[in-house]
Amino acid sequence: MARNHTISNPPQRHIWRSPRHKARRRRRRLARLASSCLGLLVLLMAGWMLRPAISVALAALPEEIPVLLAQPQSRQKLLEVEYLGQGEYPTGCESVTAVMALRHAGYDITVTDFIDFYLPKGDFWVENGQAYGDDPNQCFVGDPYSSTGFGCYAPALEKALAEVAGQDAVENLTGASLEELCTGYIDQDIPVILWATMDMREATVGRSWILPDSGETFTWKSGEHCLLLVGYDESSYLFNDPYQDKGLTAYDRQLVETRYQQMGSQALALTD
């Protein structure tokens, strides 16, 4: 380990200089300055003299090459994030995606442990013909291990992530644009948990139920899906998509933006 060393009796420097010594130093500085100026002048002259040759060489290139040279490089980024599928968790896309983000951030945790010990879970039931259920903003509605489960939204998953990593490490990015997510997080090597739909299909109206605490009616958006944004290129956003073990998947930019907005522009990230 590095240590800070203190010198108890540092040697004293002789700061006095004779006039002759000062004159020699001044001459050396002027000589270095003259040498630097001469070198710059030579470079400028060489560039000027080579201009005709450079122009001829560029003219001889295929028309596409000078245009390509003048164009900015295309923006793209892809993070290396361990992929996990949701095969054992039919409606557990939120948990699988959260664990991919956690493992990328250095947390050694399994999907099963995340669901069993950290994910807040609620119920859905029917009483006298009326459906009742908990709020997916507060908890996962149903059972992630079952195909009859529903899911949860960003605030509920944020609670679970905070239980694992601490609240300071979790950022709720709901409302941010995809461009902001890419610039502020993907470009900084931070994957983003994002809500959209399965296969980026149009969401449809799902089951409705009464929220017992408020008496309000809640309607689920069928096709809701959670997946991990890990990159982008000029035409696509790139995801670790846990649905049907799809792996790294590219989806059209405009399509993703539409589905993301339809699901309320919900997103989370682990920043610590």
Side-chain angles (χ1 to χ4, degrees):
M1 182 176 67
R3 293 179 173 84
N4 294 323
H5 297 281
T6 302
I7 301 175
S8 57
N9 294 301
Q12 298 297 315
R13 293 187 60 199
H14 296 286
I15 59 174
W16 179 83
R17 295 290 184 266
S18 68
R20 182 179 298 176
H21 181 86
K22 292 179 181 179
R24 285 200 300 270
R25 292 186 65 192
R26 192 179 302 112
R27 286 196 296 270
R28 285 197 295 268
R29 288 174 182 169
L30 290 173
R32 286 196 295 268
L33 179 60
S35 177
S36 298
C37 291
L38 180 60
L40 180 59
L41 180 61
V42 169
L43 288 175
L44 291 173
M45 291 179 63
W48 181 263
M49 293 173 65
L50 289 172
R51 282 183 64 197
I54 293 172
S55 299
V56 171
L58 288 175
L61 291 173
E63 292 183 3
E64 297 86 353
I65 293 180
V67 174
L68 290 173
L69 290 174
Q71 291 178 346
Q73 295 295 314
S74 60
R75 273 187 76 212
Q76 58 184 7
K77 179 84 172 183
L78 177 60
L79 308 183
E80 291 187 11
V81 181
E82 177 190 7
Y83 175 78
L84 299 173
Q86 66 180 88
E88 300 177 35
Y89 318 95
T91 52
C93 57
E94 299 93 348
S95 296
V96 175
T97 297
V99 169
M100 283 192 278
L102 283 164
R103 291 174 73 90
H104 181 74
Y107 295 90
D108 185 14
I109 185 171
T110 66
V111 177
T112 299
D113 283 348
F114 183 83
I115 292 173
D116 292 349
F117 301 114
Y118 300 101
L119 182 68
K121 291 177 284 293
D123 296 323
F124 174 86
W125 68 97
V126 178
E127 185 177 318
N128 297 325
Q130 175 62 59
Y132 295 88
D134 289 307
D135 186 347
N137 288 292
Q138 301 300 320
C139 59
F140 186 98
V141 179
D143 182 3
Y145 294 105
S146 169
S147 60
T148 61
F150 289 92
C152 65
Y153 291 153
L157 197 63
E158 180 184 4
K159 290 182 193 175
L161 288 167
E163 285 292 317
V164 179
Q167 186 61 58
D168 291 344
V170 187
E171 284 195 34
N172 192 324
L173 308 175
T174 297
S177 69
L178 280 161
E179 180 62 29
E180 289 170 334
L181 297 181
C182 288
T183 302
Y185 296 87
I186 300 301
D187 286 351
Q188 311 307 317
D189 299 323
I190 301 171
V192 177
I193 300 166
L194 182 146
W195 274 256
T197 60
M198 291 183 288
D199 292 328
M200 296 297 160
R201 297 191 299 263
E202 183 77 31
T204 58
V205 177
R207 291 289 302 266
S208 294
W209 60 81
I210 300 296
L211 302 175
D213 291 342
S214 64
E216 297 178 356
T217 298
F218 175 86
T219 300
W220 180 253
K221 291 183 179 180
S222 182
E224 173 266 354
H225 188 41
C226 184
L227 58 174
L228 193 67
L229 178 65
V230 296
Y232 61 87
D233 58 29
E234 288 297 315
S235 61
S236 306
Y237 290 110
L238 308 175
F239 293 90
N240 273 11
D241 187 347
Y243 180 59
Q244 295 183 342
D245 297 337
K246 296 186 73 167
L248 178 64
T249 307
Y251 290 110
D252 176 76
R253 273 177 169 261
Q254 186 57 56
L255 183 59
V256 174
E257 289 169 1
T258 299
R259 300 293 179 250
Y260 172 62
Q261 291 170 10
Q262 288 175 344
M263 293 306 299
S265 300
Q266 300 180 81
L268 299 169
L270 286 167
T271 57
D272 188 7

